[in-house]
Amino acid sequence: MGYDASSPRQAEATAVTVLKIVIMGGFGVGKTTMVGSVSEIGPLTTEAPLTYASAGTDDLAGVEGKTTTTVGLDYGKVTFTSGGAKFELYLFGTPGQERYWFSWDDLVLGAAGAVVLADTRKLADAFPALDYFERRQVPFVVGVNSFADSPYTYTAEDVRQAMTLPDAVPVVPFDARDANSSAHVLITLIATALDAARSRPAPRGAPL
């Protein structure tokens, strides 16, 4: 499966599979950055300035230079092609802070899969999102965002063990600032979601 921006002519000739993808994770982990780097349209963001009022609520450890935060959602679109198959992904980034968790159900409704972003400097911030998708049986991958100033370097297997993830959940180190790197995470998610769909039991009465 490749990452390619399709032309209108290609769109007419190729069947399109439209998928809703949710990107979730803790505060300051790179959700807005990922959507912005990979989106083929100008991303919609709902960023608001961080103020002194949130100083006791939003933990800026490791992201001291962060000046804004998502208060609604991030939205972008990206197209992938593979042979005769074309996937059009609609990306929805969620707010990470606990006070915005009430919005998750609406944003996740109808999603084919999810990316849980993790920062090795504060892995525990990803656990609420992991629990959320595990309970709802939504296919997901874990994207481990790299930060240039982080003193911590771990392998994907190190992260898997630290987060007690099953082997079936892909762990993908990547750089949210890089479009190709972000695309690789999404390609991995598509494969995971398709595998999950194939493994589900057929509904009773469905043709064999």
Side-chain angles (χ1 to χ4, degrees), residues 40-169:
E40 63 195 32
I41 63 173
L44 167 69
T45 62
T46 53
E47 293 283 285
L50 287 170
T51 66
Y52 288 110
S54 68
T57 305
D58 297 329
D59 182 7
L60 291 175
V63 288
E64 288 82 1
K66 187 173 177 61
T67 59
T68 62
T69 184
T70 299
V71 295
L73 61 87
D74 300 311
Y75 171 78
K77 173 190 169 188
V78 62
T79 302
F80 294 93
T81 58
S82 177
K86 176 180 176 181
F87 298 89
E88 194 169 272
L89 307 186
Y90 293 90
L91 310 176
F92 291 80
T94 69
Q97 299 98 310
E98 184 175 356
R99 63 184 181 277
Y100 296 120
W101 290 358
F102 70 89
S103 67
W104 286 5
D105 286 345
D106 289 335
L107 292 174
V108 172
L109 185 66
V115 177
V116 176
L117 295 192
D119 179 349
T120 56
R121 298 170 298 183
K122 41 183 183 178
L123 282 179
D125 287 0
F127 290 164
L130 294 178
D131 292 341
Y132 183 92
F133 292 121
E134 286 174 348
R135 289 198 305 270
R136 287 159 180 78
Q137 297 184 320
V138 175
F140 67 91
V141 302
V142 173
V144 183
N145 191 14
S146 63
F147 290 84
D149 58 347
S150 174
Y152 308 110
T153 302
Y154 301 103
T155 66
E157 189 55 34
D158 290 335
V159 174
R160 180 184 304 283
Q161 292 182 13
M163 303 181 81
T164 62
L165 294 169
D167 292 339
V169 176

Side-chain angles (χ1 to χ4, degrees), residues 17-57:
T17 299
V18 177
L19 300 174
K20 177 180 180 180
I21 303 299
V22 176
I23 300 171
M24 194 179 287
F27 173 70
V29 76
K31 301 179 293 294
T32 301
T33 301
M34 180 181 182
V35 173
S37 74
V38 77
S39 179
E40 63 195 32
I41 63 173
L44 167 69
T45 62
T46 53
E47 293 283 285
L50 287 170
T51 66
Y52 288 110
S54 68
T57 305

